[in-house]
Amino acid sequence: MYVGRDMTELVTLSTNEWTDKELAYFHHGLQQMTQFLNTEGVSMHKEIIKEIEDRGGLHRDEADWQHGTRPNYE
C-alpha cells in the first residue's frame, strides 16, 4: 500500500522534488489509465516519465537481504 503525498500535493511541486517512490507509484497508476487520460493527465505523465529518465531510470544500484534491485513503491 502506498503511503505518501497524494497527487493534490505533488502537482504543486516540480517533479524534481518528488521521491523515486512517488515517481514510480504515479507513473504506474497513470500508465494503467493511459487510454482514459485527458490532455492534462497525459502532460503530467510525460513530465513524470521525463523526470524518471533524467534520473537514469527507476532502479536500485545493488540488492541487499531486504531489497531487490527494483524499487517497490507499495
Side-chain angles (χ1 to χ4, degrees), residues 51-74:
E51 183 61 31
I52 291 170
E53 289 172 349
D54 289 348
R55 293 184 188 191
L58 294 173
H59 62 284
R60 292 176 55 90
D61 292 332
E62 59 186 64
D64 60 29
W65 67 277
Q66 289 182 319
H67 304 98
T69 55
R70 297 181 66 192
N72 183 6
Y73 52 82
E74 296 185 90

Side-chain angles (χ1 to χ4, degrees), residues 20-63:
D20 287 346
K21 286 186 177 190
E22 290 165 342
L23 288 169
Y25 178 77
F26 287 105
H27 169 58
H28 179 74
L30 291 171
Q31 185 178 38
Q32 297 298 310
M33 300 184 303
T34 298
Q35 63 185 347
F36 306 110
L37 295 177
N38 62 13
T39 306
E40 187 176 347
V42 171
S43 175
M44 175 57 70
H45 192 210
K46 285 181 181 179
E47 287 181 38
I48 291 170
I49 292 169
K50 182 174 178 344
E51 183 61 31
I52 291 170
E53 289 172 349
D54 289 348
R55 293 184 188 191
L58 294 173
H59 62 284
R60 292 176 55 90
D61 292 332
E62 59 186 64

Side-chain angles (χ1 to χ4, degrees), residues 1-10 13 19 21-23 25-26 73-74:
M1 181 171 164
Y2 172 76
V3 177
R5 300 181 286 187
D6 65 3
M7 186 61 86
T8 307
E9 181 177 353
L10 291 172
L13 303 172
T19 66
K21 286 186 177 190
E22 290 165 342
L23 288 169
Y25 178 77
F26 287 105
Y73 52 82
E74 296 185 90

